[in-house]
Amino acid sequence: MKILLAPAETKNSGGEDKPFCKENFFLEELFDKRENIFKIYEEFVSNSSLEELSKWFGLKKLEEVQKYQDSLKDKATMKAIMRYDGVAFDALAYKSLDKNTQKYIDENVLLFSNLFGPIKANDLIPDYKYKQGAKLPNVNVEKFYLDNFTDSLDAFIGEEVIDLRAGFYEKFYKVREAKVLTFKFIKDGKVVSHWAKFYRGKLLQEIAKNGIKNHSEFMQMQIPGLKLEEIQEKKNIKLLIMSIED
């Protein structure tokens, strides 16, 4: 069983691992596809003005824009699960987890980078900036990864998956045959968005701590702060409606 997770706009800086290369990613046989997008990105950034990049990156401060204007080719990398920063990743608190729990996350969590496409939690990536939905010249990045990675991802994922992504990232990969658990979070009868990110992180933390191997084990697990209210089924997908308890 694998877990799918969205990335975050904000990143932690730094890194101690080797720069962008085939060995940094799973599905090495598809590295040329990642490299194709990487080269288009690098060319676009190098040929754009600070003002153009400010809009494209979604950054107002020019010193921040300048930081991401530099080429990524020689930048040090770190695990993707440690690179991303934000509500879900704060809730996950990866660094605070024991080695076995971290290993579970490294091996079983897939993230969906706007630049690098589908990556494992322990794939090594640089500090980059790519605003969700931003367009590169002459290529639809989401469709490119969908077209080129779906077959390999289907094989890698196997028969069951837990999907903790925001809906946007289905553009990169849509599960075709595996059985899927996905979630909607409600509080006082209303769907929440900000808190949804937090509880996706907490869900992943609990799944990893318990070493959950399949959907059956997940359904037997108690999740602090959440209560299962309803299950909606459609084809291969079960949507779990979870209420947030005070």
Side-chain angles (χ1 to χ4, degrees):
M1 188 190 76
K2 304 300 180 188
I3 302 108
L4 312 183
L5 188 67
E9 290 280 355
T10 52
K11 317 285 190 303
N12 291 308
S13 59
E16 298 180 350
D17 292 296
K18 58 187 176 183
F20 178 77
C21 65
K22 179 188 290 190
E23 294 76 22
N24 285 1
F25 298 93
F26 89 124
L27 300 178
E28 287 190 21
E29 68 276 12
L30 294 174
F31 178 73
D32 63 315
K33 305 298 182 184
R34 301 189 202 274
E35 191 173 35
N36 185 24
I37 297 299
F38 183 79
K39 288 177 178 178
I40 295 171
Y41 172 91
E42 288 273 288
E43 183 177 358
F44 172 76
V45 171
S46 67
N47 291 331
S48 298
S49 68
L50 277 176
E51 290 73 20
E52 289 169 334
L53 288 176
S54 175
K55 183 177 180 180
W56 198 83
F57 287 147
L59 296 171
K60 293 182 178 179
K61 295 180 179 179
L62 288 186
E63 58 266 30
E64 279 289 300
V65 179
Q66 288 174 324
K67 171 185 173 182
Y68 290 109
Q69 192 179 30
D70 296 335
S71 172
L72 300 177
K73 289 180 181 178
D74 299 318
K75 283 193 173 182
T77 59
M78 68 171 66
K79 284 183 184 180
I81 199 68
M82 296 173 65
R83 175 67 71 193
Y84 293 113
D85 189 21
V87 176
F89 296 89
D90 288 344
L92 174 61
Y94 177 87
K95 289 184 178 180
S96 72
L97 303 174
D98 63 52
K99 295 297 183 183
N100 286 336
T101 305
Q102 289 183 350
K103 183 178 179 181
Y104 177 98
I105 292 169
D106 289 350
E107 294 301 321
N108 295 298
V109 173
L110 297 181
L111 294 138
F112 292 80
S113 163
N114 291 293
L115 175 57
F116 300 110
I119 53 180
K120 278 179 67 182
N122 63 347
D123 282 358
L124 304 173
I125 60 172
D127 180 8
Y128 71 97
K129 188 67 179 176
Y130 193 134
K131 186 175 66 174
Q132 178 182 299
K135 302 300 181 185
L136 286 173
N138 304 314
V139 63
N140 181 321
V141 173
E142 302 98 287
K143 188 175 186 301
F144 178 89
Y145 282 118
L146 179 72
D147 291 345
N148 287 286
F149 279 69
T150 291
D151 288 344
S152 295
L153 287 174
D154 282 346
F156 181 78
I157 282 172
E159 296 181 355
E160 293 186 334
V161 63
I162 291 179
D163 193 348
L164 299 176
R165 298 176 297 174
F168 175 83
Y169 291 95
E170 288 188 9
K171 295 180 179 181
F172 287 81
Y173 173 63
K174 190 171 181 66
V175 181
R176 295 187 293 192
E177 296 183 4
K179 294 178 181 179
V180 182
L181 290 184
T182 188
F183 304 84
K184 182 183 290 184
F185 300 93
I186 60 174
K187 187 173 177 63
D188 300 325
K190 296 180 181 179
V191 177
V192 298
S193 55
H194 175 83
W195 281 106
K197 294 179 181 179
F198 176 84
Y199 278 102
R200 287 184 187 120
K202 292 302 291 184
L203 268 178
L204 176 54
Q205 186 186 71
E206 291 300 316
I207 291 167
K209 282 182 176 179
N210 288 277
I212 298 300
K213 299 180 184 66
N214 52 53
H215 287 181
S216 179
E217 288 185 5
F218 175 83
M219 295 302 295
Q220 296 174 36
M221 185 177 70
Q222 295 295 315
I223 306 163
L226 292 175
K227 179 184 177 183
L228 177 61
E229 296 289 352
E230 182 184 350
I231 300 175
Q232 298 177 1
E233 295 190 44
K234 185 177 180 181
K235 295 183 179 179
N236 61 323
I237 300 173
K238 285 185 179 181
L239 172 63
L240 276 57
I241 312 295
M242 313 290 290
S243 63
I244 298 171
E245 299 182 311
D246 293 327

